[in-house]
Amino acid sequence: MIVENLNKIKSDIPEDVTLVAVSKTKPNSAIMAAYEVGQRAFGENKVQDLAAKAEALPDDIEWHMIGHLQTNKVKYIAPFVHLIHGVDSFKLLKEIDKRAQQQQRIIGCLLQVHIAEETSKFGLSVLDLQALLKESSSLKNIAIKGLMGMATNTSDASVLRKEFAFLKHTFAQFQSEHNELKILSMGMSGDYAIAIEEGSTMVRVGSAIFGSRL
Ligand SMILES: *Cc1c(COP(=O)(O)O)cnc(C)c1O
């Protein structure tokens, strides 16, 4: 099923939208099934799983850290991580910068913006985002490549559309001053179609490819 699901989603999304296959909790064999048909970008939300899978699987996989990252765990993924979605503090950015420097790398990061109704989700307000972009310009070993957001967990399309449109608007607003912002990571299994209509350039899709996680 993995290959069929993947092909279906790839045929659904425009070519200029990047598909990150979210493989969290799934075995290496599932990742390899997708890899064999050409998928290279995979996302994990736990540092330990990400490190173990990167160690075991082919070197040309692009690993995306999509979960909340704790400062004390950055060192475990700094040697290889391709893009860290969901950065929401200067403290975390500074640590990523420090570990990237030790690895003589530049690590790509996305800043997470709070767009959902729920208060429990991580993310920056627009004001915090502005401050963080300014502050981070001194860090040489990180590259802020764009923004990431998670919409409310709802099937109400009008709520999803409104939240994605807000993030796209914020993205466009900051792009005019920060032309290094190229990536807008929004959309998951249940809402990627709406996210793309509202301007997403990168979707993070798990269960629609690999099946439910239970
Ligand atoms: C799990 C997860 C996804 C994928 O969720 P699905 O609904 O399975 O597609 C996307 N983004 C983040 C941040 C996640 O934690």
Side-chain angles (χ1 to χ4, degrees):
M1 270 321 269
I2 291 173
V3 171
E4 288 88 336
N5 293 342
L6 191 60
N7 286 337
K8 160 85 175 67
I9 292 165
K10 280 203 290 202
S11 71
D12 274 357
I13 69 179
E15 258 177 53
D16 56 356
V17 172
T18 304
L19 172 63
V20 178
V22 176
S23 50
K24 63 189 185 193
T25 78
K26 300 296 178 183
N28 291 351
S29 57
I31 296 174
M32 284 310 294
Y35 179 89
E36 300 290 351
V37 293
Q39 181 64 28
R40 290 296 179 271
F42 292 89
E44 292 281 332
N45 68 340
K46 294 210 168 72
V47 164
Q48 212 175 349
D49 296 343
L50 183 54
K53 286 174 174 174
E55 174 76 36
L57 293 167
D59 284 340
D60 64 342
I61 290 179
E62 278 181 11
W63 291 104
H64 293 243
M65 175 64 194
I66 61 166
H68 190 72
L69 178 58
Q70 286 172 286
T71 310
N72 62 355
K73 295 193 172 161
V74 174
K75 57 178 178 283
Y76 301 114
I77 61 172
F80 65 86
V81 70
H82 178 75
L83 187 63
I84 301 177
H85 300 230
V87 176
D88 64 359
S89 74
F90 188 57
K91 180 168 167 249
L92 181 56
L93 269 182
K94 266 197 312 193
E95 176 66 13
I96 297 168
D97 182 65
K98 175 179 145 192
R99 298 296 177 179
Q101 199 175 357
Q102 288 172 354
Q103 298 292 328
Q104 296 177 295
R105 298 188 66 210
I106 291 172
I107 296 180
C109 296
L110 304 180
L111 300 180
Q112 184 168 0
V113 181
H114 182 95
I115 58 170
E117 280 169 357
E118 299 109 68
T119 52
S120 63
K121 294 239 169 92
F122 297 103
L124 300 152
S125 69
V126 173
L127 271 181
D128 294 342
L129 179 62
Q130 193 154 31
L132 193 51
L133 273 170
K134 205 166 178 184
E135 237 182 332
S136 62
S137 61
S138 62
L139 304 176
K140 299 296 176 233
N141 289 76
I142 53 141
I144 296 182
K145 295 189 178 267
L147 304 181
M148 179 269 207
M150 282 176 85
T152 300
N153 185 10
T154 176
S155 55
D156 185 339
S158 68
V159 171
L160 296 168
R161 196 174 291 285
K162 190 181 82 194
E163 292 174 358
F164 289 139
F166 169 75
L167 185 54
K168 166 68 186 186
H169 173 80
T170 304
F171 181 63
Q173 193 185 325
F174 281 94
Q175 260 183 328
S176 60
E177 275 181 54
H178 297 269
N179 56 16
E180 72 277 17
L181 301 178
K182 306 274 188 224
I183 300 172
L184 183 55
S185 168
M186 59 184 198
M188 322 198 323
S189 292
D191 57 21
Y192 71 82
I194 296 175
I196 291 168
E197 284 168 17
E198 296 303 328
S200 172
T201 72
M202 182 175 277
V203 293
R204 310 175 308 270
V205 179
S207 48
I209 298 172
F210 296 108
S212 69
R213 288 178 295 273
L214 303 169

